């Protein structure tokens, strides 16, 4: 007959706490990735605006 090991309450509590901490870290990482993605999108939009303004100024100077 094989003896079964039953986890005590502290083991279960540690397991739940560890799982909660893992989920919290996962959510934090997702939020950070979202912030980076948002920053990159804003950065790309600014680059497009900058190029557009530079082209418009160059055209304006050619006409003048």
């Amino acid at each position: 007959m094989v003896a079964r090991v039953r986890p005590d309450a502290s083991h279960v509590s540690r397991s739940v706490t560890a799982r909660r901490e893992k989920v919290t870290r996962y959510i934090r990482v997702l939020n950070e990735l979202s912030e980076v993605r948002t920053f990159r999108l804003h950065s790309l939009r600014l680059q497009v605006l900058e190029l557009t303004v530079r082209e418009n100024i160059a055209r304006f100077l050619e006409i003048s």
Side-chain angles (χ1 to χ4, degrees), residues 10-29:
S10 65
H11 173 77
V12 173
S13 178
R14 283 193 305 266
S15 174
V16 169
T17 301
R19 189 175 303 128
R20 245 185 235 134
E21 289 172 354
K22 184 184 278 186
V23 168
T24 302
R25 280 194 306 270
Y26 181 74
I27 290 171
R28 189 178 309 120
V29 167

Side-chain angles (χ1 to χ4, degrees), residues 2-59:
V2 177
R4 292 186 182 194
V5 177
R6 300 180 83 203
D8 61 354
S10 65
H11 173 77
V12 173
S13 178
R14 283 193 305 266
S15 174
V16 169
T17 301
R19 189 175 303 128
R20 245 185 235 134
E21 289 172 354
K22 184 184 278 186
V23 168
T24 302
R25 280 194 306 270
Y26 181 74
I27 290 171
R28 189 178 309 120
V29 167
L30 285 178
N31 286 338
E32 289 172 4
L33 287 174
S34 178
E35 289 173 11
V36 168
R37 186 172 50 243
T38 300
F39 175 79
R40 285 184 181 162
L41 285 174
H42 288 311
S43 179
L44 286 173
R45 287 180 183 146
L46 285 173
Q47 288 176 6
V48 168
L49 281 173
E50 179 188 9
L51 289 173
T52 303
V53 168
R54 285 177 185 267
E55 289 173 357
N56 287 341
I57 289 173
R59 275 194 229 125

